[in-house]
Amino acid sequence: MTTRDRPQRADATRNRAALLAAAEAEFAERGLDASMADIARRADVAKGTVFRHFATKEELIAAIVGGHFQALTEVARALGDAPDAGAALVEFLTMAAGGQAHHDLSFLQTVTEGDSTVAALRDELHAEVEHLVARARDAGAVRHDLTGTDVWVLICAPVHATGFVRDPGPDLWRRYLAIIVDGLRPAGAQPLPGPAPTWP
Amino acid sequence: MTTRDRPQRADATRNRAALLAAAEAEFAERGLDASMADIARRADVAKGTVFRHFATKEELIAAIVGGHFQALTEVARALGDAPDAGAALVEFLTMAAGGQAHHDLSFLQTVTEGDSTVAALRDELHAEVEHLVARARDAGAVRHDLTGTDVWVLICAPVHATGFVRDPGPDLWRRYLAIIVDGLRPAGAQPLPGPAPTWP
Amino acid sequence: MTTRDRPQRADATRNRAALLAAAEAEFAERGLDASMADIARRADVAKGTVFRHFATKEELIAAIVGGHFQALTEVARALGDAPDAGAALVEFLTMAAGGQAHHDLSFLQTVTEGDSTVAALRDELHAEVEHLVARARDAGAVRHDLTGTDVWVLICAPVHATGFVRDPGPDLWRRYLAIIVDGLRPAGAQPLPGPAPTWP
Amino acid sequence: MTTRDRPQRADATRNRAALLAAAEAEFAERGLDASMADIARRADVAKGTVFRHFATKEELIAAIVGGHFQALTEVARALGDAPDAGAALVEFLTMAAGGQAHHDLSFLQTVTEGDSTVAALRDELHAEVEHLVARARDAGAVRHDLTGTDVWVLICAPVHATGFVRDPGPDLWRRYLAIIVDGLRPAGAQPLPGPAPTWP
DNA sequence: CATGAATGAGTTTTCATTCAT
DNA sequence: AATGAATGAAAACTCATTCAT
């Protein structure tokens, strides 16, 4: 009845944050099979507390993925009207890869296919990427046949590539981002084969 | 009691092949969580038979991954003395990606970390890639700061990228291979940042 | 620290009543597995409040069962000296069944086996039933070998029977009460087999 | 492939029977909340074995309920053309109650509502009951306004009633069956109120 | 006093693996 | 050799109960 605002959110907020952090770490280490029990232990809370905050494992994953989309959307927005459109796109890709470098969680996206909240955040980010690419294309900074969706699918590539060597240094992804960025440039570009993918 | 050398190797060989095919299909569809029972059912054999051929799930995965390494090694060897070293490297990457396009099983590699047989096959393939890259580099077909390991880690990138759109056409990976290949070229290449990764 | 005798008993009383009503509804709908959380939600109070009023789920159930026993005891007492003893017994059974028709909670009794308060209320009701039956027997309105305990165990039968059809009308129990009442009559009664049950 | 007939069903058959027996005992003692783990322990098999035989708890319950329906259907069929139709109906009710006397599992029926196999077996039994009642009615052995469905809903009443005393003797149910049977007789019957329930 | 977050034992179910037939 | 039944260690999730605010 007297729900009032929400007073003692102190520990609850702390727990939620601890859970998200623990979950990211566990998923990064163990993959999709990371168990809710291990996540709870890592966050130093009881099993039941995980489910109080995230009713299902999917909901927890959705919170993680959605959070990352939101953070990247803010990055993209901040770059959306930078004077050098080509540099803005590169900066965006650098920030995106840098964020993944610690924990590559891109594989979590497959689980969130059916989640409309995540889908909305994903579409929002995609639109920003499309905008960054359009500006870079108009400025002649990237090849003319490149679409926002092309860039979208390549966002995770630099970090993902580093997963194939034993001990990737913390900055190894920068090499592969550089290669891909060079591949996006108009200079000496061979025409891209096939039609661009449609979104969604 | 070894009355004969191999009594009915026909059945056993057929079963082994059927199991590998079924396992690839199941892993491609269901990811690492594909169950041994489903694989057995798909191969139309009993669960026990799977374990007669592959003592553990890891061993089955190792067989799959090792097989793919072997197949790619043959491809690389066949291209190892082609007259156009640059084209040979591109052809190799195309064959590698084309093979994954149907069934992307690269995620299985993480499970085989500890398997020395797979490691040997992996190293063998890596050496061939190194060879292809060295020739292409010597021929001026790729940027001078590119190593075989750089190419190694990028092999899976084109197909992996296609996983981020809803309905990737069967040839979508060619777009991203084209971008990466353009990024490998010396024309207009910015120097690659950081040291190249060491192998292993 | 007992500054006053009862500060805001109004709220507490209202909550207790709301909780009992909510609990009856939940138990009727979901059976014994109705959760304390759902009961709290239905009563529009917090989970902790349920436990302030009823220290355990068993205590809550005991309160429900005891309340029903008390209500029926009053009904029986009001009929205890009616001029027509046979009609009084039928009226009692009708009132008892009518009360259950909306919410059949007889299954809750099994949980209260160990509760002495409930046992006392139960025995009180049983004594009244015994009285009603004795008077009816003395008046020749029911078979001579019928005991109060026999009637006691049959109280829930009419409503329970209706649970075996899909959509029992709200008055279907009257058919089965009529059959049982006819079975209690002396006319054409075959002697009851075995000894009557004892009441502990 | 070579599924052949089914050879070593020895232990499997034993286990299935042991599981059904254990499940009946557990459900009778603990109600619907009897746990699959306890059932396994009582049957002296591992937890997993329960699920090999009955994929879900509901399936196990359906097997129990369906089995009881089948057994009763055979009883009813055997009595379907007995010369004394009234005695046949009484005999059927006696057999039905006698079967429940040890383990009252009628509450399991509610769980099987959605199971079409059980529904078919239920309808089959209901048809037999309808037949027995029709014959008894035609023979003037039971009241003219009695339907098969009326009898159907009363089948469990005698045993259910015994649940309300502390230590019901093994034959106490016979007293309440006798009362109900007397209530079914035409002698001195008051007309049944309301319409008979429809099936299903 | 009421609230609702936290707890942790318990539930159903899955699955890699073993083993009797 | 093949089969499929049995095993038992998790996993996701629920819920009565406790307790800090």
Side-chain angles (χ1 to χ4, degrees), chain C residues 121-158:
Chain C
L121 294 167
R122 173 173 32 79
D123 289 348
E124 210 173 349
L125 173 56
H126 180 268
E128 292 301 324
V129 172
E130 199 76 66
H131 176 65
L132 288 174
V133 172
R135 286 188 73 226
R137 210 189 315 122
D138 293 349
V142 297
R143 50 207 308 166
H144 75 279
D145 49 2
L146 188 76
T147 72
T149 301
D150 286 330
V151 170
W152 170 268
V153 303
L154 287 169
I155 288 173
C156 299

Short mmCIF file of all heavy atoms in Angstrom, two decimals, chain C residues 121-158:
data_model
loop_
_atom_site.label_atom_id
_atom_site.label_comp_id
_atom_site.label_asym_id
_atom_site.label_seq_id
_atom_site.Cartn_x
_atom_site.Cartn_y
_atom_site.Cartn_z
N LEU C 121 -10.77 -27.17 18.99
CA LEU C 121 -11.94 -26.67 18.26
C LEU C 121 -12.62 -27.79 17.50
O LEU C 121 -13.85 -27.83 17.38
CB LEU C 121 -11.51 -25.55 17.30
CG LEU C 121 -11.00 -24.27 17.99
CD1 LEU C 121 -10.31 -23.36 17.00
CD2 LEU C 121 -12.17 -23.55 18.67
N ARG C 122 -11.78 -28.68 16.98
CA ARG C 122 -12.34 -29.82 16.25
C ARG C 122 -13.18 -30.68 17.18
O ARG C 122 -14.32 -31.05 16.86
CB ARG C 122 -11.19 -30.64 15.65
CG ARG C 122 -11.66 -31.92 15.02
CD ARG C 122 -10.58 -32.70 14.26
NE ARG C 122 -9.24 -32.63 14.71
CZ ARG C 122 -8.73 -33.31 15.75
NH1 ARG C 122 -9.50 -34.09 16.48
NH2 ARG C 122 -7.46 -33.18 16.05
N ASP C 123 -12.64 -30.95 18.36
CA ASP C 123 -13.36 -31.79 19.30
C ASP C 123 -14.66 -31.14 19.74
O ASP C 123 -15.68 -31.81 19.95
CB ASP C 123 -12.47 -32.08 20.52
CG ASP C 123 -11.34 -33.03 20.16
OD1 ASP C 123 -11.39 -33.62 19.06
OD2 ASP C 123 -10.39 -33.17 20.96
N GLU C 124 -14.60 -29.83 19.86
CA GLU C 124 -15.80 -29.10 20.24
C GLU C 124 -16.90 -29.29 19.18
O GLU C 124 -18.06 -29.58 19.51
CB GLU C 124 -15.44 -27.61 20.34
CG GLU C 124 -16.24 -26.81 21.34
CD GLU C 124 -15.65 -25.40 21.46
OE1 GLU C 124 -14.52 -25.17 20.92
OE2 GLU C 124 -16.30 -24.53 22.05
N LEU C 125 -16.48 -29.12 17.93
CA LEU C 125 -17.45 -29.30 16.85
C LEU C 125 -17.94 -30.75 16.82
O LEU C 125 -19.15 -31.01 16.66
CB LEU C 125 -16.81 -28.93 15.50
CG LEU C 125 -17.66 -29.23 14.26
CD1 LEU C 125 -19.02 -28.54 14.34
CD2 LEU C 125 -16.92 -28.79 12.99
N HIS C 126 -17.00 -31.67 16.99
CA HIS C 126 -17.38 -33.07 16.95
C HIS C 126 -18.43 -33.38 18.02
O HIS C 126 -19.42 -34.10 17.77
CB HIS C 126 -16.15 -33.96 17.17
CG HIS C 126 -16.47 -35.41 17.14
ND1 HIS C 126 -16.77 -36.14 18.26
CD2 HIS C 126 -16.56 -36.28 16.10
CE1 HIS C 126 -17.01 -37.39 17.93
NE2 HIS C 126 -16.90 -37.51 16.62
N ALA C 127 -18.25 -32.79 19.18
CA ALA C 127 -19.22 -33.03 20.26
C ALA C 127 -20.61 -32.53 19.87
O ALA C 127 -21.63 -33.17 20.16
CB ALA C 127 -18.73 -32.35 21.54
N GLU C 128 -20.64 -31.39 19.20
CA GLU C 128 -21.94 -30.87 18.77
C GLU C 128 -22.59 -31.78 17.74
O GLU C 128 -23.80 -32.00 17.75
CB GLU C 128 -21.79 -29.46 18.19
CG GLU C 128 -21.39 -28.40 19.21
CD GLU C 128 -22.40 -28.29 20.35
OE1 GLU C 128 -23.62 -28.44 20.10
OE2 GLU C 128 -21.95 -28.06 21.50
N VAL C 129 -21.74 -32.29 16.85
CA VAL C 129 -22.28 -33.20 15.83
C VAL C 129 -22.82 -34.46 16.52
O VAL C 129 -23.91 -34.96 16.20
CB VAL C 129 -21.20 -33.57 14.79
CG1 VAL C 129 -21.70 -34.65 13.85
CG2 VAL C 129 -20.79 -32.33 14.02
N GLU C 130 -22.05 -34.93 17.46
CA GLU C 130 -22.49 -36.12 18.21
C GLU C 130 -23.87 -35.86 18.85
O GLU C 130 -24.76 -36.71 18.81
CB GLU C 130 -21.44 -36.42 19.29
CG GLU C 130 -21.49 -37.83 19.85
CD GLU C 130 -20.89 -38.85 18.90
OE1 GLU C 130 -19.65 -38.80 18.64
OE2 GLU C 130 -21.64 -39.71 18.39
N HIS C 131 -24.00 -34.66 19.37
CA HIS C 131 -25.26 -34.29 20.01
C HIS C 131 -26.41 -34.28 19.00
O HIS C 131 -27.49 -34.84 19.25
CB HIS C 131 -25.10 -32.92 20.67
CG HIS C 131 -26.36 -32.40 21.29
ND1 HIS C 131 -26.99 -33.00 22.35
CD2 HIS C 131 -27.12 -31.31 20.97
CE1 HIS C 131 -28.08 -32.32 22.67
NE2 HIS C 131 -28.18 -31.28 21.84
N LEU C 132 -26.15 -33.66 17.84
CA LEU C 132 -27.20 -33.60 16.81
C LEU C 132 -27.60 -35.00 16.38
O LEU C 132 -28.78 -35.30 16.20
CB LEU C 132 -26.71 -32.80 15.60
CG LEU C 132 -26.57 -31.28 15.75
CD1 LEU C 132 -25.93 -30.68 14.50
CD2 LEU C 132 -27.95 -30.65 15.99
N VAL C 133 -26.58 -35.85 16.21
CA VAL C 133 -26.88 -37.20 15.73
C VAL C 133 -27.63 -37.99 16.82
O VAL C 133 -28.59 -38.72 16.53
CB VAL C 133 -25.59 -37.93 15.33
CG1 VAL C 133 -25.85 -39.40 15.02
CG2 VAL C 133 -24.96 -37.24 14.12
N ALA C 134 -27.20 -37.82 18.06
CA ALA C 134 -27.88 -38.56 19.14
C ALA C 134 -29.37 -38.19 19.20
O ALA C 134 -30.24 -39.06 19.31
CB ALA C 134 -27.19 -38.24 20.48
N ARG C 135 -29.61 -36.91 19.07
CA ARG C 135 -31.02 -36.49 19.12
C ARG C 135 -31.81 -37.05 17.93
O ARG C 135 -32.94 -37.50 18.09
CB ARG C 135 -31.13 -34.97 19.13
CG ARG C 135 -30.76 -34.34 20.49
CD ARG C 135 -31.09 -32.85 20.49
NE ARG C 135 -32.51 -32.57 20.58
CZ ARG C 135 -33.15 -31.70 19.81
NH1 ARG C 135 -32.51 -31.01 18.90
NH2 ARG C 135 -34.46 -31.51 19.95
N ALA C 136 -31.17 -37.01 16.76
CA ALA C 136 -31.86 -37.53 15.57
C ALA C 136 -32.09 -39.03 15.71
O ALA C 136 -33.14 -39.56 15.32
CB ALA C 136 -31.05 -37.21 14.32
N ARG C 137 -31.12 -39.71 16.27
CA ARG C 137 -31.24 -41.15 16.45
C ARG C 137 -32.37 -41.45 17.44
O ARG C 137 -33.25 -42.28 17.18
CB ARG C 137 -29.91 -41.72 16.95
CG ARG C 137 -29.66 -43.15 16.52
CD ARG C 137 -28.45 -43.74 17.21
NE ARG C 137 -27.29 -42.87 17.23
CZ ARG C 137 -26.67 -42.47 18.33
NH1 ARG C 137 -27.07 -42.87 19.50
NH2 ARG C 137 -25.64 -41.67 18.27
N ASP C 138 -32.35 -40.70 18.54
CA ASP C 138 -33.39 -40.92 19.54
C ASP C 138 -34.77 -40.65 18.96
O ASP C 138 -35.75 -41.29 19.33
CB ASP C 138 -33.16 -40.01 20.75
CG ASP C 138 -31.89 -40.41 21.50
OD1 ASP C 138 -31.35 -41.51 21.21
OD2 ASP C 138 -31.43 -39.64 22.37
N ALA C 139 -34.84 -39.73 18.05
CA ALA C 139 -36.13 -39.39 17.44
C ALA C 139 -36.50 -40.35 16.32
O ALA C 139 -37.54 -40.21 15.69
CB ALA C 139 -36.08 -37.96 16.90
N GLY C 140 -35.60 -41.30 16.04
CA GLY C 140 -35.90 -42.26 14.98
C GLY C 140 -35.75 -41.67 13.60
O GLY C 140 -36.22 -42.23 12.61
N ALA C 141 -35.08 -40.55 13.50
CA ALA C 141 -34.95 -39.90 12.20
C ALA C 141 -33.77 -40.44 11.40
O ALA C 141 -33.71 -40.26 10.18
CB ALA C 141 -34.79 -38.39 12.38
N VAL C 142 -32.84 -41.06 12.08
CA VAL C 142 -31.73 -41.70 11.35
C VAL C 142 -31.56 -43.12 11.85
O VAL C 142 -32.04 -43.48 12.94
CB VAL C 142 -30.40 -40.93 11.52
CG1 VAL C 142 -30.49 -39.53 10.95
CG2 VAL C 142 -29.97 -40.89 12.97
N ARG C 143 -30.88 -43.91 11.08
CA ARG C 143 -30.68 -45.32 11.43
C ARG C 143 -30.08 -45.44 12.83
O ARG C 143 -29.25 -44.62 13.24
CB ARG C 143 -29.83 -46.01 10.38
CG ARG C 143 -28.55 -45.24 10.05
CD ARG C 143 -28.06 -45.52 8.65
NE ARG C 143 -27.96 -46.95 8.44
CZ ARG C 143 -27.83 -47.53 7.24
NH1 ARG C 143 -27.78 -46.76 6.14
NH2 ARG C 143 -27.76 -48.81 7.12
N HIS C 144 -30.40 -46.51 13.50
CA HIS C 144 -30.03 -46.62 14.91
C HIS C 144 -28.54 -46.90 15.11
O HIS C 144 -27.99 -46.65 16.16
CB HIS C 144 -30.83 -47.75 15.56
CG HIS C 144 -30.34 -49.10 15.16
ND1 HIS C 144 -30.68 -49.71 13.97
CD2 HIS C 144 -29.47 -49.95 15.79
CE1 HIS C 144 -30.08 -50.88 13.88
NE2 HIS C 144 -29.33 -51.06 14.96
N ASP C 145 -27.88 -47.46 14.06
CA ASP C 145 -26.46 -47.80 14.23
C ASP C 145 -25.54 -46.68 13.77
O ASP C 145 -24.35 -46.88 13.59
CB ASP C 145 -26.12 -49.11 13.52
CG ASP C 145 -26.63 -49.14 12.08
OD1 ASP C 145 -27.22 -48.11 11.63
OD2 ASP C 145 -26.47 -50.17 11.40
N LEU C 146 -26.09 -45.49 13.59
CA LEU C 146 -25.29 -44.36 13.12
C LEU C 146 -24.71 -43.58 14.29
O LEU C 146 -25.44 -43.25 15.24
CB LEU C 146 -26.18 -43.43 12.27
CG LEU C 146 -25.47 -42.31 11.53
CD1 LEU C 146 -24.75 -42.87 10.30
CD2 LEU C 146 -26.47 -41.24 11.12
N THR C 147 -23.42 -43.25 14.20
CA THR C 147 -22.80 -42.47 15.27
C THR C 147 -22.50 -41.06 14.79
O THR C 147 -22.52 -40.77 13.59
CB THR C 147 -21.48 -43.11 15.73
OG1 THR C 147 -20.50 -42.91 14.71
CG2 THR C 147 -21.65 -44.59 16.01
N GLY C 148 -22.17 -40.22 15.73
CA GLY C 148 -21.78 -38.85 15.38
C GLY C 148 -20.53 -38.86 14.52
O GLY C 148 -20.40 -38.07 13.56
N THR C 149 -19.61 -39.74 14.82
CA THR C 149 -18.38 -39.79 14.03
C THR C 149 -18.66 -40.22 12.59
O THR C 149 -18.03 -39.74 11.65
CB THR C 149 -17.37 -40.73 14.71
OG1 THR C 149 -17.10 -40.26 16.03
CG2 THR C 149 -16.06 -40.75 13.93
N ASP C 150 -19.62 -41.12 12.43
CA ASP C 150 -20.01 -41.49 11.06
C ASP C 150 -20.44 -40.24 10.29
O ASP C 150 -20.03 -40.03 9.14
CB ASP C 150 -21.19 -42.47 11.11
CG ASP C 150 -20.76 -43.88 11.54
OD1 ASP C 150 -19.60 -44.26 11.26
OD2 ASP C 150 -21.58 -44.58 12.16
N VAL C 151 -21.25 -39.45 10.91
CA VAL C 151 -21.71 -38.23 10.23
C VAL C 151 -20.54 -37.28 10.04
O VAL C 151 -20.40 -36.65 8.98
CB VAL C 151 -22.84 -37.56 11.02
CG1 VAL C 151 -23.16 -36.18 10.47
CG2 VAL C 151 -24.09 -38.45 10.97
N TRP C 152 -19.71 -37.16 11.04
CA TRP C 152 -18.54 -36.28 10.97
C TRP C 152 -17.73 -36.55 9.71
O TRP C 152 -17.35 -35.64 8.97
CB TRP C 152 -17.67 -36.50 12.22
CG TRP C 152 -16.33 -35.85 12.16
CD1 TRP C 152 -15.18 -36.41 11.71
CD2 TRP C 152 -16.02 -34.52 12.55
NE1 TRP C 152 -14.15 -35.50 11.79
CE2 TRP C 152 -14.64 -34.33 12.32
CE3 TRP C 152 -16.78 -33.47 13.09
CZ2 TRP C 152 -14.00 -33.13 12.60
CZ3 TRP C 152 -16.13 -32.28 13.37
CH2 TRP C 152 -14.76 -32.11 13.12
N VAL C 153 -17.44 -37.80 9.43
CA VAL C 153 -16.57 -38.10 8.29
C VAL C 153 -17.28 -37.88 6.95
O VAL C 153 -16.63 -37.77 5.91
CB VAL C 153 -16.02 -39.55 8.34
CG1 VAL C 153 -15.28 -39.80 9.64
CG2 VAL C 153 -17.11 -40.57 8.10
N LEU C 154 -18.62 -37.82 7.02
CA LEU C 154 -19.37 -37.65 5.76
C LEU C 154 -19.66 -36.20 5.44
O LEU C 154 -20.18 -35.89 4.37
CB LEU C 154 -20.67 -38.46 5.81
CG LEU C 154 -20.48 -39.98 5.70
CD1 LEU C 154 -21.78 -40.71 6.02
CD2 LEU C 154 -20.00 -40.35 4.28
N ILE C 155 -19.30 -35.31 6.35
CA ILE C 155 -19.66 -33.89 6.16
C ILE C 155 -19.13 -33.35 4.83
O ILE C 155 -19.82 -32.63 4.11
CB ILE C 155 -19.12 -33.02 7.33
CG1 ILE C 155 -19.92 -33.30 8.59
CG2 ILE C 155 -19.16 -31.55 6.98
CD1 ILE C 155 -19.36 -32.62 9.84
N CYS C 156 -17.89 -33.72 4.51
CA CYS C 156 -17.28 -33.15 3.31
C CYS C 156 -17.61 -33.91 2.02
O CYS C 156 -17.25 -33.46 0.93
CB CYS C 156 -15.76 -33.11 3.47
SG CYS C 156 -15.23 -32.10 4.84
N ALA C 157 -18.24 -35.05 2.15
CA ALA C 157 -18.44 -35.91 0.99
C ALA C 157 -19.22 -35.25 -0.15
O ALA C 157 -18.80 -35.34 -1.31
CB ALA C 157 -19.10 -37.22 1.41
N PRO C 158 -20.33 -34.58 0.12
CA PRO C 158 -21.10 -34.04 -1.02
C PRO C 158 -20.30 -33.07 -1.87
O PRO C 158 -20.30 -33.18 -3.11
CB PRO C 158 -22.28 -33.34 -0.33
CG PRO C 158 -22.43 -34.04 0.98
CD PRO C 158 -21.03 -34.38 1.41
#
